[in-house]
Amino acid sequence: MIENERMQEIIKSFFESHDHGRETMEKATVTENICFIDYLEHNCIPKAKELDNEKDLQYFTEYDIHFRMQTLEKIMKLERFWVVISSATNHFYSMNKYAIVLVDYSEADYLLESLKKQNFDIEIREISNKEFVAMVEDMPRTGFKGVQFTDGRLTPLTIPRDTILKADKIKTTTNPDLYIESLVFLQEAHRFGKDNKGVVIQKDSPITKAIHNAKYLVPAIVQNKNENQMQIKYPFLNTNVEGQQVLPVTTDHKEYDFFVNSPVMKGYNELPSDKKVCIELPFVELYRIFDTDNLFAIAVNPLGYNLVLNENIMNIMTEDITLTNNPDISVAKNGKEVIFPEAVTPKKKYSDEETSDLRRKVLEHFIETQQGIIDKNTGIFTEEAQQKVKKAKIKLAEFKKQLEELCD
């Protein structure tokens, strides 16, 4: 924890001379830097805006940017860090999709107690500089936006992942939205589950949308292969209850490789290489398999955070989905092909240009109609006529504004 006298000393040196202040900040610790940046952002900059002092605002903003980069350079030289881990997922705890990393362990207990009071089950794990870099490099895959640096008590210094490291774009299939939304959902489910309140997946929630939009990597066994067609079956997992089968799926190639090379998939690994294949499927095809084979659940990243989509969740997820034949995929049950209804041909979708043209014509018609009401009732001095003119003028102005915005 930073002593108040030390903080006052840093603030005084900055205001006595900005050059002296820069020198002081260069010699300061990482936590002192973070504390002073917080002072700039929550005291100096707001006060300059309040007083409309452009010169001070420019000074403070420039120094804020400078000290942020200076502090990040210091952080990247640290030999060790302490990262907050969620017991619900055994993954980095997500605070608004940012990982929390301590640069100093001195106030770790304060952070632990603070989060436990909110019913979060967490632990703090020490990592090396190399492990920290790997964590940030992996964030495009896991969906984390960046890192919040603190000592456990300080207002965190929030740095986006791409500012910390310019990580290369991952070329393999990734589902960062599904990954991070799963972590957030499981954190909350675990948090409220401790009080037996329960958390369920809602129909239009972020996790639902992420599940719908994701592309899943699924291990499969090749039965027959003929030119461009391939007949496959899936190696289901069994639960502790007889007859309950689970389809394992993964979000990306890192999770896929970890899963298929695990002891759980020993039988699959022993197959010849030409009998093993990784299939990429959208959610609707997972639903097709789930429905056809009467599965107990679908497990997303079963050896990772293990998001289990059971029958109750699948009913919510598929409420608005009607399975139809997919010409690229045939599904068999007990050796017989399963036939779904033919897909209904969708209505014509207009292009953006066609939509704009239709919208323009409609607005022109509305404008003409309102102008007609005004012309018809102008000069008539009854209260009813005047009210019609008043309302028509308001609508006319709105339609004209919309037309102008459309034409811009």
Side-chain angles (χ1 to χ4, degrees):
M1 183 177 177
I2 301 171
E3 296 292 336
N4 188 52
E5 292 79 4
R6 172 58 179 158
M7 200 62 240
Q8 292 301 319
E9 179 187 330
I10 294 174
I11 293 170
K12 183 180 178 182
S13 69
F14 176 75
F15 281 100
E16 283 180 348
S17 165
H18 287 166
D19 288 337
H20 183 211
R22 288 168 69 114
E23 184 181 342
T24 302
M25 288 293 282
E26 286 174 5
K27 297 177 181 178
T29 65
V30 171
T31 51
E32 288 171 346
N33 277 51
I34 292 174
C35 193
F36 184 68
I37 290 169
D38 178 59
Y39 179 78
L40 274 179
E41 293 179 348
H42 292 92
N43 291 276
C44 301
I45 291 175
K47 192 65 177 178
K49 289 180 179 178
E50 180 187 333
L51 299 175
D52 199 22
N53 189 324
E54 290 293 332
K55 184 178 179 181
D56 279 356
L57 180 59
Q58 183 178 353
Y59 267 129
F60 295 144
T61 303
E62 288 176 354
Y63 277 109
D64 180 40
I65 295 169
H66 172 76
F67 290 142
R68 274 176 160 269
M69 297 311 298
Q70 181 192 72
T71 305
L72 181 57
E73 288 177 7
K74 289 183 181 181
I75 288 171
M76 297 305 293
K77 293 176 183 177
L78 294 175
E79 292 182 0
R80 57 181 180 166
F81 301 85
W82 295 265
V83 62
V84 180
I85 302 293
S86 168
S87 300
T89 62
N90 197 32
H91 209 296
F92 310 122
Y93 170 78
S94 172
M95 174 64 76
N96 299 322
K97 300 182 182 178
Y98 281 82
I100 300 178
V101 173
L102 279 66
V103 294
D104 185 315
Y105 196 74
S106 61
E107 296 295 326
D109 289 343
Y110 178 86
L111 178 63
L112 279 169
E113 288 303 315
S114 176
L115 288 173
K116 283 181 179 178
K117 284 178 182 178
Q118 300 173 57
N119 229 10
F120 285 110
D121 193 0
I122 59 142
E123 62 177 280
I124 295 179
R125 191 176 298 169
E126 183 177 331
I127 61 173
S128 66
N129 183 287
K130 185 177 180 180
E131 289 171 320
F132 168 73
V133 170
M135 177 187 90
V136 178
E137 286 178 337
D138 201 34
M139 283 183 171
R141 179 182 71 89
T142 59
F144 280 89
K145 294 179 180 179
V147 178
Q148 292 187 340
F149 295 103
T150 180
D151 68 347
R153 187 184 290 266
L154 288 174
T155 301
L157 175 66
T158 301
I159 305 290
R161 68 191 185 207
D162 288 343
T163 302
I164 301 171
L165 288 172
K166 295 291 183 184
D168 293 334
K169 291 183 179 179
I170 297 176
K171 296 178 181 179
T172 56
T173 301
T174 59
N175 294 288
D177 288 344
L178 175 57
Y179 208 103
I180 192 67
E181 293 298 350
S182 296
L183 295 180
V184 172
F185 172 77
L186 291 169
Q187 279 180 193
E188 291 296 317
H190 186 73
R191 174 189 181 191
F192 289 104
K194 292 167 72 176
D195 288 341
N196 295 317
K197 294 179 181 178
V199 174
V200 296
I201 288 182
Q202 302 296 325
K203 184 177 177 181
D204 295 318
S205 63
I207 179 67
T208 306
K209 293 175 182 175
I211 291 170
H212 275 153
N213 294 334
K215 297 279 185 157
Y216 301 85
L217 300 183
V218 188
I221 302 170
V222 179
Q223 301 292 288
N224 291 300
K225 195 171 183 180
N226 181 20
E227 295 181 354
N228 295 327
Q229 293 185 331
M230 184 167 53
Q231 185 182 359
I232 60 171
K233 70 175 184 179
Y234 300 101
F236 299 134
L237 302 178
N238 293 313
T239 69
N240 293 328
V241 179
E242 186 178 351
Q244 289 186 346
Q245 293 186 310
V246 176
L247 174 67
V249 304
T250 61
T251 54
D252 53 76
H253 282 285
K254 184 174 181 178
E255 291 288 342
Y256 182 88
D257 292 340
F258 176 64
F259 174 66
V260 297
N261 291 310
S262 69
V264 175
M265 297 292 283
K266 182 181 177 182
Y268 182 79
N269 278 322
E270 291 174 349
L271 293 172
S273 58
D274 63 341
K275 292 293 183 181
K276 297 180 289 186
V277 64
C278 175
I279 304 293
E280 182 179 309
L281 296 175
F283 175 75
V284 68
E285 296 305 332
L286 296 191
Y287 174 36
R288 193 188 302 277
I289 300 167
F290 179 87
D291 183 67
T292 304
D293 289 282
N294 300 319
L295 298 181
F296 173 72
I298 292 173
V300 183
N301 292 344
L303 297 185
Y305 52 64
N306 192 29
L307 177 67
V308 178
L309 308 179
N310 59 23
E311 184 178 4
N312 291 336
I313 293 174
M314 288 297 286
N315 287 339
I316 295 170
M317 295 290 304
T318 60
E319 187 177 324
D320 299 325
I321 297 178
T322 301
L323 290 174
T324 58
N325 277 329
N326 184 336
D328 300 319
I329 298 177
S330 62
V331 180
K333 184 175 182 180
N334 299 326
K336 295 182 179 180
E337 186 177 356
V338 179
I339 305 298
F340 294 93
E342 292 296 328
V344 178
T345 304
K347 295 179 180 178
K348 177 187 175 184
K349 291 185 178 180
Y350 293 98
S351 65
D352 290 343
E353 186 177 342
E354 289 174 320
T355 302
S356 296
D357 188 55
L358 288 170
R359 177 73 175 151
R360 179 181 57 76
K361 290 178 179 179
V362 169
L363 286 171
E364 287 175 347
H365 173 70
F366 285 169
I367 289 170
E368 184 180 341
T369 301
Q370 297 306 315
Q371 187 62 56
I373 294 173
I374 294 170
D375 294 341
K376 183 178 179 181
N377 290 277
T378 299
I380 301 175
F381 300 101
T382 64
E383 185 177 347
E384 181 182 359
Q386 289 178 351
Q387 283 297 321
K388 286 183 179 179
V389 171
K390 184 179 179 181
K391 290 181 180 179
K393 284 183 177 180
I394 293 172
K395 290 183 179 180
L396 179 64
E398 289 176 355
F399 294 143
K400 283 186 175 180
K401 182 180 178 182
Q402 291 178 33
L403 184 61
E404 289 174 0
E405 291 173 348
L406 186 66
C407 294
D408 286 341

